[in-house]
Amino acid sequence: MRIFYQLLVVLFVILQGAAGKPYIPRPIDLCEAQNGHCFPGICRRPYYWIGTCHNGFSCCRRYVEV
């Protein structure tokens, strides 16, 4: 039974490669994880700066008023 599960894992890896999709997921974009957007230059209203994106742009988030 143990070898059955190993064969399933190997089949899954082969199918991932055949579909052209990477087996290892891409790293998490920290800007998107904080509900931000990447903009060139500085953040303008109604956005505020929360960090820097992977490409050097500003990571901006929209103001939320309660």
Side-chain angles (χ1 to χ4, degrees):
M1 195 66 167
R2 182 176 174 179
I3 206 158
F4 177 71
Y5 290 117
Q6 289 177 348
L7 288 174
L8 280 178
V9 168
V10 170
L11 180 65
F12 177 74
V13 170
I14 290 172
L15 289 176
Q16 286 284 329
K21 296 185 179 181
Y23 178 67
I24 301 173
R26 65 185 174 117
I28 298 173
D29 186 10
L30 295 177
C31 186
E32 289 180 11
Q34 299 177 29
N35 294 328
H37 300 283
C38 295
F39 292 108
I42 62 172
C43 301
R44 307 256 184 225
R45 287 186 185 220
Y47 295 94
Y48 65 97
W49 186 83
I50 58 173
T52 306
C53 296
H54 65 280
N55 57 3
F57 288 175
S58 295
C59 182
C60 306
R61 185 188 304 165
R62 184 181 272 272
Y63 283 112
V64 178
E65 293 185 20
V66 225

